Amino acid sequence: MPDLRFVRRADGLTYEFVRDGNAHGAPSYKRVDLDLWCRRLPDFGWVVCTESGHVHSRPFDDPGCGDLPPEGAWVSRKADRSYVYDLIRVA
């Protein structure tokens, strides 16, 4: 069962993440089908990123510096395209 679910608003495409340890003093979540992470980066807030910290997505309304990634709208960038997702905490 996933802990986090990102649902793309345009077409309902869903990405699931499961809890996988801690990073920088906060929970870390790994995408089940790819080596991407939802983590809180120091001095930056919550993001979806690669293991090396390259940011792919972040919360739209709030950088999310709390203990858990903020629910609601997140925006991503892939090459010259952007998408809006809704983060839903499942667990």
Side-chain angles (χ1 to χ4, degrees):
M1 176 114 184
D3 294 295
L4 303 176
R5 185 173 288 140
F6 285 85
V7 181
R8 192 160 64 191
R9 288 185 180 180
D11 59 9
L13 180 67
T14 300
Y15 296 113
E16 296 181 342
F17 289 72
V18 294
R19 176 79 186 264
D20 192 336
N22 292 300
H24 312 290
S28 183
Y29 303 88
K30 186 178 185 312
R31 197 167 123 179
V32 297
D33 65 333
L34 200 59
D35 194 21
L36 287 177
W37 298 84
C38 183
R39 293 182 168 161
R40 190 180 69 200
L41 298 181
D43 302 320
F44 195 77
W46 283 95
V47 299
V48 172
C49 63
T50 62
E51 180 67 34
S52 65
H54 178 79
V55 175
H56 286 256
S57 181
R58 64 182 303 183
F60 185 77
D61 296 316
D62 174 1
C65 293
D67 292 334
L68 295 173
E71 291 185 288
W74 284 55
V75 66
S76 73
R77 183 181 75 182
K78 185 175 183 181
D80 62 345
R81 293 187 221 162
S82 293
Y83 298 97
V84 177
Y85 293 84
D86 286 306
L87 172 80
I88 302 164
R89 282 192 227 123
V90 178

